[in-house]
DNA sequence: TTCGGAAGAGACAGATCTGTCTACCTCATT
DNA sequence: AATGAGGTAGACAGATCTGTCTCTTCCGAA
């Protein structure tokens, strides 16, 4: 019997497998909810996706949802914190790869961005989108999104400073406007987005500020 | 009595005053609804503002609303078409003011943009915001917004071409990314927006493309 | 003065949304 | 074998949202 076989297999797994083996750990309800919600929120918008939809698509009971997330707002914040970790993780990675060349770090981050903008699932920036969907500055999602963007561009400014930019604050601000706009254009009108034009403009700015 | 005085004044207005005197024409219910809805939609977001709220704040009956706008989507489209007229009107105006200097036209439009971004009521771009709020490309609001942006930047490209830009398509695309991003940054994090940095970046691009 | 169209007031329907609550089940650990 | 944490199933409440419908009132034009 399949049932019997499975239980035999299970008994062979050490009692502390949860800590030992993280790869084959079964996805918890919380993880599943967050994964499904992330995809729906990003693809269709946060306001457009109701709790019931998330519950149904993640195959979870309503009580399970509310045991893991007190309110929808809590889920929204978890979604954004997750995205933020991913985003800042990419910066970490690029800095570790080129610890001695801020210019290469910026170049890597740009390549990275362009790849994501050209991907078919691109729906723009989760953080800008959230601020637009929740213009109230007191909304926890709004705040989380603003904080992330602040931190991200603070780090880019730091990289520009290490790269010897003459006016790192100005350069970071200009890169921020250009990249934010590129994200919006690639989302709102994919046909109007040309990665080469973005690359040229960024190169022009970086040369102007003499980053090495 | 005030009432009597008013009616006497009224009788002195010609029968066809509606067509003759457009200045003192009393605002119709439709106009009032659109004005109130525009402000609310722009300030608080379209999805966040319900029909009931618009009806209440414009002091109109529900039946009056639905006599003038078949659905909320119709109102959304009217709101965007209004904004689009304003936006393209600013382009017309700048072109009429400097018919022989595309460079001055672009400069005027930039000044104009910066003024709006620094205004306290700035809530970003109504069209980008609408696309974010309605990611479904079939939504009439989404479509209207995308069409406006297409037309606006087609016209900027045309101005760049008249100005002798070496690569007008590239310049327009770069200006579009930069300005779109400036709008988002000035909205999502007002403190991080510096008009001078935007100006410098735009000057750099315009010089690079040798617009005259 | 009468008439018709536009507007006001508001009840109502039906859908949907967030969040609560009860009752039962599964399973790893003790 | 018992237990407790976490999971399933689903009814329910209360708010809100879009849109319909009826009845009354106002006002300008003929």
């Amino acid at each position: 019997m399949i049932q019997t076989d499975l239980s035999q297999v299970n008994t062979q797994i050490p009692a502390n497998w949860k800590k030992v083996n993280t790869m084959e750990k079964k996805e918890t309800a919380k993880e599943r909810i967050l994964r499904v919600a992330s995809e729906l929120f990003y693809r269709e918008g946060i306001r457009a996706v109701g709790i019931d939809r998330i519950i149904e698509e993640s195959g979870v009971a309503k009580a399970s949802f509310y045991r893991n997330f007190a309110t929808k707002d809590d889920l929204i914040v978890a979604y954004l914190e997750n995205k933020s970790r991913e985003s800042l993780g990419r910066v970490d990675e690029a800095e570790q790869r080129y610890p001695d060349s801020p210019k290469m770090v910026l170049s890597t981050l740009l390549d990275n961005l362009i790849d994501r903008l050209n991907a078919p699932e691109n729906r723009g920036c989760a953080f800008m989108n959230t601020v637009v969907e929740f213009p109230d500055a007191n909304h926890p999602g709004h705040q989380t999104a603003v904080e992330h963007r602040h931190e991200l561009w603070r780090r880019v400014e730091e990289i520009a400073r290490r790269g010897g930019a003459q006016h790192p604050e100005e350069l970071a601000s200009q890169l921020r406007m250009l990249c934010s706009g590129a994200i919006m254009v690639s989302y709102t009108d994919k046909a109007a987005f040309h990665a080469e034009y973005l690359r040229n403009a960024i190169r022009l700015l970086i040369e102007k500020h003499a980053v090495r």
Side-chain angles (χ1 to χ4, degrees), chain A:
Chain A
M1 306 301 172
I2 295 175
Q3 198 67 10
T4 311
D5 288 349
L6 278 177
S7 54
Q8 280 181 341
V9 168
N10 282 341
T11 57
Q12 291 174 349
I13 293 177
N16 60 344
W17 66 273
K18 267 195 182 177
K19 285 149 196 165
V20 173
N21 186 341
T22 58
M23 271 179 56
E24 298 184 15
K25 179 162 61 180
K26 202 175 113 198
E27 200 180 31
T28 67
K30 186 167 191 170
E31 288 163 343
R32 204 169 359 151
I33 291 165
L34 189 53
R35 179 172 52 78
V36 167
S38 292
E39 196 168 326
L40 291 175
F41 283 167
Y42 184 65
R43 196 186 333 132
E44 303 185 19
I46 296 175
R47 294 193 102 112
V49 174
I51 292 294
D52 285 348
R53 175 97 181 281
I54 293 166
I55 284 166
E56 195 205 326
E57 296 213 11
S58 51
V60 126
K62 202 156 196 174
S64 300
F65 176 89
Y66 280 102
R67 197 181 305 117
N68 287 293
F69 301 97
T71 65
K72 187 185 180 184
D73 283 354
D74 281 27
L75 176 62
I76 294 169
V77 169
Y79 155 68
L80 292 171
E81 285 175 343
N82 218 31
K83 287 263 184 196
S84 176
R85 258 190 303 278
E86 283 173 30
S87 168
L88 298 178
R90 284 190 290 267
V91 180
D92 290 337
E93 210 175 308
E95 287 195 284
Q96 283 163 16
R97 178 129 57 122
Y98 301 102
D100 304 319
S101 172
K103 197 169 184 174
M104 278 306 294
V105 172
L106 293 182
S107 173
T108 302
L109 291 174
L110 173 61
D111 289 345
N112 211 312
L113 174 66
I114 287 174
D115 283 349
R116 276 175 292 133
L117 296 190
N118 281 327
E121 66 270 23
N122 172 36
R123 283 278 176 186
C125 167
F127 307 98
M128 287 194 280
N129 293 356
T130 301
V131 172
V132 169
E133 284 204 86
F134 299 94
D136 177 2
N138 294 323
H139 189 281
H142 180 113
Q143 289 178 343
T144 306
V146 167
E147 281 161 21
H148 164 76
R149 282 175 61 80
H150 192 75
E151 173 64 9
L152 176 64
W153 291 99
R154 190 194 64 71
R155 291 196 58 177
V156 170
E157 184 178 329
E158 198 48 46
I159 294 167
R161 183 165 286 115
R162 282 213 321 277
Q166 284 157 6
H167 301 291
E169 188 201 329
E170 174 166 8
L171 176 57
S173 171
Q174 289 169 333
L175 292 177
R176 179 172 176 171
M177 290 188 272
L178 199 46
C179 290
S180 299
I183 294 171
M184 291 307 297
V185 171
S186 71
Y187 169 36
T188 62
D189 190 356
K190 202 174 259 300
F193 173 69
H194 301 290
E196 273 319 297
Y197 300 163
L198 172 61
R199 259 187 231 281
N200 291 343
I202 284 182
R203 262 199 286 265
L204 196 62
L205 287 171
I206 285 184
E207 280 166 24
K208 168 86 175 177
H209 285 267
V211 175
R212 62 178 183 275

